[in-house]
Amino acid sequence: MNELRKLILFTAVTGMAFAGACQQANQKTESKTTNADKKTGYLSQPIISNIYTADPSAHLFNGKIYIYPSHDIETETKENDNGDHFDMRDYHILSMDSINGKVTDHGVALSIGDIPWAGRQLWAPDAAFKNGTYYLYFPVKDKSGVFRIGVATSKNPAGPFKAEPTPIKGSFSIDPAVFTDTDGASYMYFGGIWGGQLQRWNNGAYDKNGSKTDSQKENEPALSAKVAKLSSDMLSFDGEVKDVQLVDKQGKPLLTKDHDRRFFEGGWMHKFNGKYYFTYSTGDTHYLAYAIGDKPYGPFVYEGTFMKPVQGWTTHHSILEINGKWYIFYHDTQLSGKTHLRNVKVTELKHKADGTIEMIDPFVK
């Protein structure tokens, strides 16, 4: 594809230029995202329009749906591969009594100025409840520009939240997602390559001069999401950080060059019929993919994709069961047409009898 054609495609595709928390599309990505322009409408509408929201983590607390999203804002920072234009500074928590019901914006629950160790960029959070306390987990760059994961607490699911004075020891990168199993044990899944900096921790310590993308070892196993068991007080890791093992049906690890299947960012865990479903974004190919395992640590066998590319570069989701039905909360750029100003949506997610997930097309033909 020559440079002129690349430029034409780039201009035609709304919101597609850079990765959601990170990065720039490649030639293969351009051809895939142009499919969005061939649709005539959207499967779902934004649940709220008074602010821009993204990366929705949805939970059912006290019979009410609470959504913990990023709060996108306009910024003068130019778009770049590191995602510096995603310069979010606080979190707003949303709630609703039912799917498609009235949404309440509870206002600022945590601001970057309330986090003693924070530098900039409050990216995708998650929340959990245990022992009468609500926990808000968040990634933010520290004052030296390294992403760490912090935790804040509240007695109210809508906040306000008070941040702990230091990040979780041993945490790094982005996109914390906390899963509590039926036995009461809680696990945090986290990590993201490119602007999420996961590749800069490849040797166990942060390398500020490390790769800007991935391991750059195309024929070796791809960098993996991480998982750590949480302590009983939910404020620290209980044991070592482990790799989330993603393998194909022959038991072989997915490779770095396999952009349609390998992990990029935005991991989530849900359990269905006794099986553990690790779902995630493939990033520069814009799919939501899933892999199934028998234990919280995996290994997880890659099963396929379950959501086609949305409008915009990033795709980030959560999955929640409500009254026997399953729903996916996600985002696109319908309201703004800008990759860094997104809006949260929700639609039903269906598991088939064989345990696979039905494909979701975010557009109506």
Side-chain angles (χ1 to χ4, degrees):
M1 182 182 291
N2 60 38
E3 294 303 315
L4 178 59
R5 187 170 174 227
K6 275 187 176 180
L7 180 59
I8 293 170
L9 282 173
F10 175 90
T11 304
V13 179
T14 303
M16 192 227 100
F18 292 86
C22 323
Q23 36 262 344
Q24 172 182 4
N26 60 16
Q27 177 175 321
K28 185 176 183 180
T29 299
E30 290 175 359
S31 63
K32 286 188 175 181
T33 0
T34 53
N35 290 335
D37 289 345
K38 297 177 182 178
K39 310 291 183 176
T40 58
Y42 300 91
L43 177 64
S44 301
Q45 293 299 313
I47 67 169
I48 193 170
S49 59
N50 65 302
I51 59 173
Y52 292 111
T53 53
D55 312 318
S57 291
H59 294 271
L60 197 62
F61 293 138
N62 304 319
K64 180 177 287 190
I65 303 164
Y66 286 88
I67 304 167
Y68 300 82
S70 301
H71 177 203
D72 285 351
I73 57 173
E74 190 59 88
T75 174
E76 295 181 0
T77 305
K78 293 184 178 180
E79 295 182 359
N80 60 34
D81 289 358
N82 292 323
D84 288 336
H85 50 298
F86 293 92
D87 199 13
M88 298 84 103
R89 298 166 192 168
D90 61 32
Y91 295 118
H92 282 233
I93 295 170
L94 312 177
S95 70
M96 53 186 177
D97 291 327
S98 61
I99 295 296
N100 298 321
K102 180 183 177 181
V103 176
T104 299
D105 176 358
H106 294 276
V108 175
L110 181 68
S111 174
I112 200 165
D114 301 326
I115 305 168
W117 54 274
R120 61 186 296 262
Q121 294 183 288
L122 278 173
W123 282 8
D126 192 21
F129 173 77
K130 187 172 285 189
N131 302 325
T133 299
Y134 296 90
Y135 299 86
L136 181 67
Y137 299 93
F138 56 89
V140 65
K141 284 180 179 174
D142 63 19
K143 297 183 189 300
S144 64
V146 179
F147 268 117
R148 306 280 184 175
I149 296 172
V151 58
T153 58
S154 176
K155 292 299 181 180
N156 188 326
F161 283 83
K162 181 176 175 57
E164 292 293 299
T166 58
I168 296 173
K169 185 178 180 181
S171 70
F172 53 92
S173 196
I174 61 170
D175 294 350
V178 174
F179 166 75
T180 298
D181 207 347
T182 48
D183 63 358
S186 296
Y187 304 83
M188 180 187 289
Y189 299 83
F190 62 95
I193 60 175
W194 290 37
Q197 301 180 342
L198 186 61
Q199 73 280 356
R200 296 189 174 187
W201 290 90
N202 204 21
N203 296 314
Y206 183 75
D207 179 4
K208 67 178 181 180
N209 298 314
S211 170
K212 291 183 178 180
T213 56
D214 51 35
S215 70
Q216 298 186 336
K217 298 175 181 178
E218 293 288 279
N219 294 306
E220 294 188 10
L223 293 173
S224 176
K226 306 301 178 183
V227 57
K229 189 176 182 180
L230 287 168
S231 59
S232 58
D233 65 6
M234 302 291 280
L235 299 177
S236 62
F237 291 158
D238 181 10
E240 64 179 325
V241 174
K242 299 181 180 182
D243 286 342
V244 174
Q245 300 176 55
L246 286 176
V247 299
D248 63 19
K249 292 185 178 181
Q250 286 71 49
K252 296 180 179 179
L254 304 182
L255 303 182
T256 300
K257 65 183 179 182
D258 191 354
H259 289 212
D260 281 344
R261 299 194 298 172
R262 62 88 175 92
F263 170 81
F264 190 102
E265 62 185 0
W268 187 262
M269 175 63 66
H270 76 279
K271 195 173 182 180
F272 177 76
N273 282 352
K275 298 289 187 179
Y276 297 84
Y277 286 67
F278 182 69
T279 54
Y280 59 94
S281 170
T282 64
D284 56 343
T285 49
H286 312 292
Y287 294 116
L288 288 181
Y290 70 112
I292 303 174
D294 295 316
K295 297 179 293 184
Y297 289 114
F300 300 97
V301 179
Y302 177 85
E303 186 63 42
T305 57
F306 67 97
M307 193 171 200
K308 296 179 180 179
V310 299
Q311 176 179 294
W313 215 101
T314 67
T315 183
H316 191 120
H317 74 293
S318 60
I319 296 171
L320 179 64
E321 184 181 16
I322 305 170
N323 296 326
K325 288 188 176 182
W326 290 87
Y327 296 89
I328 178 171
F329 294 75
Y330 64 104
H331 68 237
D332 64 17
T333 60
Q334 179 181 346
L335 292 178
S336 73
K338 296 181 180 180
T339 192
H340 67 289
L341 298 176
R342 297 158 293 181
N343 46 257
V344 167
K345 296 184 171 184
V346 60
T347 195
E348 189 173 355
L349 177 141
K350 296 180 180 179
H351 300 85
K352 297 180 182 179
D354 62 1
T356 58
I357 301 175
E358 285 189 10
M359 179 62 74
I360 300 170
D361 187 338
F363 296 94
V364 178
K365 295 181 180 180

